[in-house]
Amino acid sequence: MLKMLYPCEYVESVFAIDYHKLYGKGYKGVIFDIDNTLVHHGEDSTSETDKLFQMIHGVGLKTLLLSNNNEERIKRFLKNIDSLYICDAQKPGVTNYLKAIEMMKLKKEEVVVIGDQIFTDIWGANRSGIASVLIEYMRYDDETRIGIRRTIEKMILKFYGFSKSCQNRIGDILLEPIDKTEAG
């Protein structure tokens, strides 16, 4: 049962992923969650996020936002981004994950889901047969309180850490770290 909650990959942020490598592995589309994945909860897109989407599209990847948020919230986020979207997605239900693939005109094995929540993003992707990447959810430095769901997710990630066969199922997708001794 726990394996249905395990991501294929677990990374620090959407900015730590090498989208060229994803493309090289045969992925042609990325389904993103918004809140605490791309920006802090409720925030508009940032210039950094806008540039990320430009780069992703430049690589040749399609994007789609799959969010439980309403359409007004998503359109506000997409002000400077050209992407497909599905609002009120009812994640982790399978229906809109499959609809997203259909909208992107891709196959399941050509798409990866990236999100911050195990019980919505990852579970829904896994139930739909789509590769999943969990990112560490975005928090402000002064945030100390986490909810019960995040506490349970931490426990699941402990078990995930012991299950080596469930990790790195997509393979090397991280950006290469910059060697500051050579750069400077």
Side-chain angles (χ1 to χ4, degrees):
M1 167 58 187
L2 272 183
K3 288 184 180 182
M4 279 303 290
L5 301 173
Y6 291 166
C8 296
E9 302 287 339
Y10 181 41
V11 302
E12 183 182 340
S13 83
V14 295
F15 299 102
I17 298 170
D18 187 328
Y19 295 91
H20 289 92
K21 287 181 182 178
L22 268 181
Y23 187 81
K25 291 179 180 294
Y27 292 97
K28 296 180 181 173
V30 182
I31 298 173
F32 283 104
D33 175 52
I34 300 174
D35 288 331
N36 296 325
T37 297
L38 294 167
V39 294
H40 290 283
H41 185 79
E43 288 184 356
D44 290 344
S45 180
T46 63
S47 62
E48 187 179 30
T49 305
D50 295 347
K51 287 176 190 169
L52 176 69
F53 272 81
Q54 288 174 350
M55 183 274 298
I56 291 169
H57 293 150
V59 167
L61 292 164
K62 297 179 181 183
T63 59
L64 184 140
L65 301 179
L66 186 66
S67 176
N68 286 341
N69 281 303
N70 63 33
E71 189 168 25
E72 179 185 332
R73 160 69 177 121
I74 295 173
K75 282 186 172 183
R76 186 169 41 94
F77 177 83
L78 288 174
K79 180 180 173 191
N80 300 314
I81 298 171
D82 182 24
S83 182
L84 298 169
Y85 68 89
I86 297 174
C87 60
D88 302 314
Q90 300 177 0
K91 294 184 289 184
V94 171
T95 302
N96 284 313
Y97 284 88
L98 300 179
K99 180 180 177 183
I101 291 169
E102 187 178 305
M103 287 173 65
M104 296 171 92
K105 297 181 173 114
L106 297 173
K107 300 173 189 163
K108 285 183 188 183
E109 56 274 6
E110 297 174 321
V111 177
V112 62
V113 172
I114 301 176
D116 71 300
Q117 290 191 56
I118 289 174
F119 292 110
T120 54
D121 308 311
I122 303 308
W123 191 27
N126 291 345
R127 290 174 64 207
S128 303
I130 307 169
S132 58
V133 177
L134 179 69
I135 60 114
E136 293 178 22
Y137 66 95
M138 299 175 85
R139 291 173 47 169
Y140 291 107
D141 292 338
D142 61 349
E143 266 185 273
T144 56
R145 190 179 149 270
I146 62 170
I148 186 75
R149 187 178 278 188
R150 294 290 189 191
T151 302
I152 295 169
E153 285 181 349
K154 280 176 115 175
M155 291 188 309
I156 291 168
L157 286 172
K158 267 194 193 282
F159 287 107
Y160 172 73
F162 296 124
S163 184
K164 300 298 180 200
S165 65
C166 292
Q167 299 172 27
N168 302 315
R169 288 180 280 156
I170 294 175
D172 178 29
I173 61 165
L174 294 179
L175 286 169
E176 298 299 321
I178 297 170
D179 184 351
K180 295 184 180 182
T181 58
E182 289 180 20

